[in-house]
Amino acid sequence: MSFDNTNRGILSKNLNKTADNHPEYSGSINVDGTDYWLSAWIKESSKDGKKFFSLSVKPKDAPKAKAMPEEDFNDSVPF
């Protein structure tokens, strides 16, 4: 019998953080059978100074952004 991970997730400290905008924590979560990447940043409220997590989810099967081929760029400036 295997463990059912539906509607469960995990976050761990992001040891690969190389820039300030990278998440402090990263992991994955399953929602209704769909797998997502989960990212979390520690933020501080400007109103009362309390800390909180800001979260982002992205489908694991989302296509990666592709670089535009060079020939698609138009270097002319119309003004």
Side-chain angles (χ1 to χ4, degrees):
M1 185 164 143
S2 65
F3 185 75
D4 183 9
N5 283 325
T6 304
N7 297 323
R8 297 183 186 273
I10 185 169
L11 276 175
S12 59
K13 188 81 170 162
N14 183 2
L15 301 177
N16 298 318
K17 182 176 176 169
T18 57
D20 288 340
N21 63 336
H22 290 174
E24 279 91 14
Y25 294 86
S26 60
S28 61
I29 189 167
N30 179 289
V31 179
D32 292 332
T34 303
D35 291 321
Y36 296 90
W37 295 114
L38 182 61
S39 300
W41 293 261
I42 300 171
K43 303 284 184 168
E44 189 172 313
S45 171
S46 59
K47 293 181 182 180
D48 58 14
K50 291 184 181 179
K51 290 187 178 184
F52 62 93
F53 284 110
S54 175
L55 304 175
S56 172
V57 295
K58 180 179 179 183
K60 283 190 173 184
D61 62 357
K64 293 185 177 185
K66 294 182 182 177
M68 293 180 71
E70 272 187 51
E71 62 269 13
D72 288 348
F73 290 105
N74 183 349
D75 289 338
S76 66
V77 180
F79 50 89

